[in-house]
């Protein structure tokens, strides 16, 4: 999994599966959230537009936890 944030366009992308260019099927979940699916129907990524407005304070830090809720990694976004 990879997480990308582009501050110039204020968009956050969470890549769950890498896709070849032009192979994603996109579905708009809301005005700000777009889901990308692989050709076999698996969720490949989520794009959040206007991320600083949608996510607010949560956009400043990414916390990765395991299933038991233990923090595995914490990262600040500048």
């Amino acid at each position: 999994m990879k997480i990308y944030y582009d501050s110039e366009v204020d968009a956050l992308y969470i890549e769950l599966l890498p896709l070849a260019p032009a192979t994603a099927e996109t579905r708009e979940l809301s005005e700000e959230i777009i889901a990308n699916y692989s050709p076999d129907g698996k969720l490949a990524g989520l794009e959040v537009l206007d991320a600083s407005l949608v996510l607010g304070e949560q956009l400043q830090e990414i916390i990765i936890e395991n299933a038991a809720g233990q923090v595995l990694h914490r990262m600040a976004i500048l």
Side-chain angles (χ1 to χ4, degrees):
M1 176 172 56
K2 295 180 182 178
I3 299 172
Y4 304 92
Y5 177 66
D6 185 337
S7 60
E8 288 186 29
V9 295
D10 193 24
L12 178 81
Y13 187 72
I14 302 168
E15 179 186 89
L16 304 171
L17 299 171
L19 293 175
T23 61
E25 178 185 334
T26 60
R27 296 182 199 156
E28 190 174 297
L29 303 180
S30 72
E31 286 186 27
E32 298 90 7
I33 300 176
I34 300 165
N36 290 331
Y37 293 87
S38 67
D40 63 356
K42 294 180 181 174
L43 180 62
L46 293 170
E47 183 174 12
V48 181
L49 306 175
D50 297 322
S52 62
L53 295 173
V54 173
L55 301 173
E57 298 277 326
Q58 291 88 359
L59 186 58
Q60 297 177 14
E61 183 177 49
I62 295 174
I63 300 170
I64 300 171
E65 296 180 350
N66 64 15
Q70 299 167 313
V71 175
L72 301 175
H73 187 73
R74 185 180 300 253
M75 177 178 37
I77 298 177
L78 302 176

